[in-house]
Amino acid sequence: MVRVLMTGFEPFDGASANPSWEAARLVAEEPPPGTEVSPLLLPCVFGDCLRVLDDAVERTAPDLVLCTGQAAGRSGLTVERIAVNVDDARLPDNAGRQPVDRPVVPGGPAAYFATLPVKACTAAARAAGVPCSVSQTAGTFVCNHLFYGLMHLLSTRYPDVRGGFVHVPSLPEQVLDGAGPAMPAETAARGLRAILTAAATVREDIRLAAGAVH
């Protein structure tokens, strides 16, 4: 049985819901076979989210950590490849913090790669009928802050634990005016279950053309 710690964020920027938490909660209620999923709701706050994550990793002793966050404007799940060591917030977090051009971890590496098989995870979600692609950037807001902090934590203290990050599109009720793409939480959860299954069973990633031109 693979122990999984799965995180989602609280709503931010005035929203009433966050699709990452809605989907993560559904996955934890009905985890894929062979996994035990512990859900964790994180504050959308620089620094605080990493402290809550650190405590949860120590408490649950997972084999695998999958963090999720909202990516408004994206039409499918996106499995993040790289976390960068920079906070550059164009809007404040839920505590009013707005770091600009600051490192997530002073003196840390410039970037970390996810240690999940990102392309196998992408292919698995697609096979489950859920739009999914590889993303080369998790932005520079709290999602990337969490992703980088996770990978730094695992690299320095839990080298046998694998981790990564997936962005989830907005919920349909968040784009009622038709201004952007959306995905029901149930669909996102189906894709995340497929991603978890791949992450738990695939050790050597597949070859899949999934790069970006720009």
Side-chain angles (χ1 to χ4, degrees):
M1 192 68 68
V2 177
R3 298 185 305 275
V4 178
L5 176 63
M6 189 169 189
T7 77
F9 278 113
E10 66 182 358
F12 71 99
D13 196 28
S16 60
N18 191 310
S20 67
W21 175 242
E22 298 305 317
R25 184 170 52 81
L26 290 174
V27 173
E29 290 174 0
E30 190 178 341
T35 67
E36 295 178 349
V37 178
S38 299
L40 177 67
L41 177 63
L42 292 174
C44 189
V45 179
F46 288 100
D48 290 3
C49 64
L50 295 183
R51 285 187 282 274
V52 175
L53 176 69
D54 191 328
D55 290 345
V57 171
E58 183 174 3
R59 182 179 69 255
T60 63
D63 302 302
L64 188 155
V65 182
L66 182 65
C67 296
T68 66
Q70 179 177 354
R74 294 187 182 180
S75 59
L77 299 179
T78 46
V79 184
E80 299 295 342
R81 192 200 299 253
I82 303 167
V84 295
N85 192 15
V86 64
D87 292 331
D88 191 0
R90 67 171 181 80
L91 71 161
D93 65 14
N94 282 355
R97 300 170 187 170
Q98 192 173 2
V100 174
D101 297 340
R102 296 180 186 171
V104 180
V105 178
Y112 283 106
F113 283 96
T115 49
L116 304 183
V118 296
K119 293 186 175 182
C121 289
T122 299
R126 291 176 180 173
V130 179
C132 186
S133 60
V134 175
S135 171
Q136 316 304 327
T137 173
T140 56
F141 194 50
V142 185
C143 285
N144 176 76
H145 179 86
L146 175 67
F147 183 20
Y148 184 93
L150 165 68
M151 301 316 300
H152 185 74
L153 173 68
L154 300 186
S155 175
T156 55
R157 290 172 50 192
Y158 303 97
D160 293 330
V161 179
R162 294 176 298 131
F165 193 101
V166 176
H167 265 120
V168 179
S170 298
L171 297 167
E173 56 264 36
Q174 294 178 303
V175 290
L176 290 177
D177 58 0
M183 177 179 288
E186 294 78 8
T187 303
R190 186 169 77 247
L192 290 171
R193 290 187 188 98
I195 286 170
L196 279 183
T197 298
T201 58
V202 177
R203 289 291 176 170
E204 185 174 345
D205 207 356
I206 64 174
R207 292 183 62 85
L208 174 71
V213 176
H214 54 78

